[in-house]
Amino acid sequence: MTTINITQALCLTLVHSLWQGFLAAVAAGIVILCTRRSKAAVRYNLLTAVLVLFLLGAAFTFFHEAAGSNEPGGAVSAWVEGKVSGLEETVVLSGIQPQVHAGIERSTGIFGQVGDFLTLHASTVVLVWMLCLLGQVVQLMGGFYQLGRLRRRRVFDPGVLWQERLQLLAVRLGIRKPVELIQSAYVAVPVTFGFLKPSILVPLGMLTNLPADQVETILLHELAHIRRNDYLANLLLHIAEAVFFFNPGLRWVASLIREEREACCDDMVLNTADRNSYFDALVAFGENTFVRQRYALPLGKRKTDLLWRIRRMLNQENKKLHIMEKAILSLGLTAILAIGLISMRAAELQADKRQTAHQAAWQGTDTVPTSSNASGKRAKEQFPSISTRVEDNGSTKQYKIDATDAEGNTFQLTKVNGTVTELVINGKSIPESDFDQYLYIFDEIESRNHETAGEQGGEDRVTAAERELARVQERLDAANQEQTDAQQRLEEQQERQQELQEQEQEKQQEKLEQDQEKKQEKLEQDQEKRQEALEKQQEAAEQAAERKQEAAEQEAERKQEAAEQQAERQQEAVENQQEAVEKQQEAVEQQEGSRNAADRSINQLIGDMIDLGLAGSREDIHSFTLDSNGLTINGSRQSGDAYQSLKRKYIRNASEHYIYSHNGNGTTVDVRQ
């Protein structure tokens, strides 16, 4: 196998992968249509099987084309020599070989011309493909480099509590290998990557800003990817897309596989956690789902992906094909059928030309001894008269062919189940052991016998193909019309629903206005009644006031003395209250002084931490705790001389402690001295 043969085989494999990819897309569409109520794992396995079959078909095409291109160019000559090896005189092949090759190798029709073009320019096609493949590989390696940077830059320890909780969740899903949990300032949603040493990157602050039950559901989703080895499957999928980057069918199947992969992980989460908590977590991330990590396994790429997944889990219904996807698959399938029928017709025409070339090759130089040709040289046999009888009893099918050539020689040929059993020439039976010497006569008679039937059969096949194509087109038109009618019915139904909704809204509005009017009338009546009652009460009050005025004037003098005494007691109470206010003000001033002292102590302590090299700057310290038991900075426990130095300076007894926390919501300080 030469380099040229490999190049041509690779070129033809790439071209054939286009229609193979479309067939894979059709198969994937059938899977989507037939498994609307099936589990996501079943759909995922079926789509993966479709992808594997596509890759196996491409590999088979390559080896088939490579083996076909490796066959020697003189194969036709060897076949001819084998047929006439038993004749009395040797056929001179050098004179007929070019005619045979010309009849067989000449391509006809548009498909043949396309094949010849690809064969001649295979190196150019493969070179362009390899350049594009190189770009895909560079992009793939760049993606893995970016993942490596995410694992090393701006990462923070989540703490022992969450790391231990992650390992417990991993054991619940049956994961035995250790999984690392990392907080990153560069990711907006949780991301999983790694096969031998898997890691989960979560956004910085997610562990503290979300409720614990929601955080656990997110971690369960990422652990489900690790449990299913989705990272390795995703890598292989990207490699397949890089090799067949030009194939739209493959890329569509790959997108379906990715969607079903996320659905499988969602189902695993729902089987082990609370569904409401998981929905709340997905909605929380729905506002920030722009992800650039193509080669990792993020929680969601777009807001619509998360919404579709939530809708699928709520309705228990898998994804459907869109109208445009159905139309494209239908048109493509029709095109493939049409191309297949045209290719079959072209192949039949090519076979007829090969048969003609074969017969022409036998005309010139064959020499076979017969009773009517003593010199051993024969001319081309012509059979102007030929008839055929067929006897078929169900188990045995027998053909009897009677033929007469232009010279008056008679031939009787009998075939039983496709095998020649008897040959009679001019009334003389030819022994079966000599049949090899008359192979050309078999070919001549059968070719002449089938010539008319072949022409009629070819026309029938073309007519049948045209009828089949017309039926397919009619079915497609009917499907399109049905789809259009369904769309129109849907639009009409929506219009009717809209009208009903508008009518219902109008009725509700009228009822609301009537209720409002009734309420207004009742309110006015109540207001009038209250006004009348108020007037009556006012009159009674005036009369009572007059009576009270008289009594008041009588008691005024008595009350004056009592009022003076009461005023003196109130004055004393006011003075006592003033003293209490002054004491409270002094306490507030003392508390404010304590707070300022605490802030100064915290600032001084942060400055000492920076001087001791525990932090580069104040912005690097998000939280710390200093007490008699130890020093913790940003969730990491410190030890050594730095802690002892700070303890001697700030901790005088076991009850003293310094607590500091700074986040987006503000700063919290707690100092006890």
Side-chain angles (χ1 to χ4, degrees), residues 1-151:
M1 184 181 298
T2 64
T3 304
I4 297 177
N5 294 338
I6 294 177
T7 302
Q8 293 178 351
L10 184 58
C11 175
L12 293 177
T13 301
L14 296 176
V15 174
H16 285 303
S17 69
L18 292 173
W19 64 265
Q20 292 172 352
F22 184 79
L23 287 182
V26 172
I30 295 174
V31 169
I32 295 298
L33 292 175
C34 297
T35 58
R36 290 177 55 185
R37 294 293 181 179
S38 301
K39 295 183 178 179
V42 175
R43 291 160 63 94
Y44 178 83
N45 293 333
L46 291 176
L47 292 174
T48 303
V50 170
L51 178 63
V52 171
L53 289 177
F54 166 78
L55 296 177
L56 292 177
F60 173 78
T61 302
F62 173 76
F63 289 110
H64 176 74
E65 295 294 341
S69 61
N70 197 38
E71 293 180 357
V76 176
S77 299
W79 181 83
V80 174
E81 288 182 352
K83 289 295 183 181
V84 298
S85 59
L87 301 182
E88 292 182 358
E89 294 186 9
T90 304
V91 179
V92 182
L93 296 179
S94 58
I96 66 172
Q97 184 174 356
Q99 186 177 4
V100 173
H101 286 180
I104 293 178
E105 295 182 356
R106 184 180 296 112
S107 299
T108 61
I110 184 172
F111 297 103
Q113 295 175 5
V114 171
D116 293 341
F117 176 83
L118 293 175
T119 302
L120 294 175
H121 301 83
S123 58
T124 303
V125 174
V126 173
L127 177 61
V128 173
W129 171 78
M130 293 185 67
L131 291 176
C132 297
L133 178 61
L134 179 61
Q136 296 287 325
V137 172
V138 170
Q139 185 179 6
L140 186 64
M141 299 305 296
F144 287 111
Y145 175 74
Q146 292 293 333
L147 289 179
R149 293 187 62 189
L150 284 177
R151 194 169 185 172

Side-chain angles (χ1 to χ4, degrees), residues 178-240:
V179 181
E180 185 178 6
L181 181 63
I182 305 173
Q183 293 189 99
S184 174
Y186 285 123
V187 297
V189 295
V191 174
T192 299
F193 61 91
F195 177 68
L196 298 177
K197 297 180 179 180
S199 301
I200 299 177
L201 290 180
V202 298
L204 184 62
M206 186 196 81
L207 301 179
T208 56
N209 294 331
L210 287 180
D213 55 347
Q214 295 184 18
V215 174
E216 289 185 1
T217 58
I218 297 300
L219 295 180
L220 281 172
H221 178 90
E222 302 304 323
L223 289 172
H225 284 300
I226 299 175
R227 176 67 178 83
R228 290 166 39 82
N229 297 321
D230 283 339
Y231 182 78
L232 180 60
N234 190 48
L235 175 61
L236 298 177
L237 188 61
H238 277 293
I239 294 175

Side-chain angles (χ1 to χ4, degrees), residues 529-542:
K529 292 179 181 179
R530 284 195 297 268
Q531 185 66 26
E532 293 176 356
L534 183 61
E535 291 176 354
K536 292 179 180 179
Q537 290 176 0
Q538 185 67 25
E539 292 177 358
E542 291 177 355

Side-chain angles (χ1 to χ4, degrees), residues 252-542:
W252 185 66
V253 174
S255 67
L256 294 179
I257 291 176
R258 290 190 177 93
E259 292 177 354
E260 295 304 324
R261 179 180 62 204
E262 295 299 325
C264 291
C265 295
D266 290 338
D267 292 343
M268 294 181 68
V269 174
L270 295 181
N271 292 332
T272 55
D274 181 60
R275 59 189 294 124
N276 294 326
S277 299
Y278 188 45
F279 292 162
D280 294 339
L282 291 179
V283 172
F285 282 102
E287 300 298 330
N288 188 12
T289 55
F290 180 73
V291 180
R292 296 181 180 179
Q293 289 78 30
R294 296 178 56 216
Y295 309 101
L297 298 172
L299 181 66
K301 291 187 177 181
R302 297 183 300 273
K303 183 176 180 179
T304 54
D305 293 339
L306 294 177
L307 294 179
W308 169 79
R309 287 162 54 187
I310 294 174
R311 189 181 302 111
R312 186 194 72 86
M313 289 182 283
L314 288 174
N315 299 334
Q316 297 295 321
E317 184 175 359
N318 293 313
K319 179 183 177 182
K320 306 175 185 177
L321 292 180
H322 301 301
I323 295 178
M324 184 59 66
E325 292 174 337
K326 293 179 180 178
I328 292 175
L329 291 177
S330 300
L331 292 175
L333 185 59
T334 303
I336 285 183
L337 291 176
I339 292 174
L341 295 174
I342 297 174
S343 300
M344 291 174 58
R345 177 56 180 164
E348 293 173 357
L349 295 176
Q350 187 71 13
D352 293 340
K353 291 186 177 181
R354 289 180 179 177
Q355 181 66 24
T356 304
H358 178 205
Q359 294 177 359
W362 281 101
Q363 293 176 12
T365 57
D366 288 2
T367 304
V368 179
T370 63
S371 59
S372 62
N373 191 0
S375 63
K377 295 183 180 181
R378 71 172 180 85
K380 178 182 178 181
E381 300 290 348
Q382 299 292 335
F383 299 94
S385 175
I386 189 168
S387 61
T388 303
R389 299 188 306 277
V390 180
E391 298 178 0
D392 189 355
N393 58 7
S395 61
T396 302
K397 191 172 185 179
Q398 179 176 293
Y399 287 89
K400 290 187 177 181
I401 304 174
D402 296 329
T404 304
D405 62 8
E407 299 178 356
N409 297 315
T410 60
F411 301 86
Q412 290 85 33
L413 181 65
T414 303
K415 293 180 66 176
V416 178
N417 293 334
T419 302
V420 178
T421 59
E422 183 181 8
L423 175 63
V424 178
I425 301 177
N426 293 328
K428 180 180 179 181
S429 178
I430 305 299
E432 186 175 354
S433 60
D434 295 338
F435 280 1
D436 290 341
Q437 301 180 14
Y438 298 92
L439 290 176
Y440 74 96
I441 295 179
F442 299 163
D443 295 338
E444 293 279 352
I445 294 176
E446 291 184 358
S447 176
R448 179 67 181 86
N449 182 45
H450 291 93
E451 182 176 352
T452 303
E455 293 175 354
Q456 183 64 33
E459 294 177 356
D460 294 340
R461 286 191 294 272
V462 172
T463 303
E466 292 175 350
R467 288 196 300 270
E468 182 65 22
L469 182 59
R471 286 195 296 269
V472 171
Q473 185 64 36
E474 290 177 358
R475 289 196 295 270
L476 179 60
D477 294 340
N480 292 333
Q481 184 63 34
E482 183 178 355
Q483 183 177 356
T484 303
D485 295 341
Q487 185 66 24
Q488 292 178 354
R489 289 194 297 270
L490 179 60
E491 292 176 355
E492 293 176 355
Q493 185 177 2
Q494 291 176 350
E495 292 178 356
R496 289 194 296 271
Q497 291 178 353
Q498 184 68 22
E499 292 177 356
L500 292 176
Q501 290 177 357
E502 292 177 354
Q503 294 176 0
E504 185 66 23
Q505 290 177 357
E506 291 177 356
K507 292 180 180 179
Q508 292 179 356
Q509 185 66 25
E510 292 177 356
K511 184 178 180 181
L512 182 62
E513 292 176 354
Q514 293 175 357
D515 294 341
Q516 189 68 24
E517 292 177 356
K518 292 180 180 179
K519 290 180 180 179
Q520 185 66 26
E521 292 177 356
K522 185 177 180 181
L523 182 61
E524 292 176 354
Q525 293 175 359
D526 293 341
Q527 186 68 23
E528 292 176 356
K529 292 179 181 179
R530 284 195 297 268
Q531 185 66 26
E532 293 176 356
L534 183 61
E535 291 176 354
K536 292 179 180 179
Q537 290 176 0
Q538 185 67 25
E539 292 177 358
E542 291 177 355

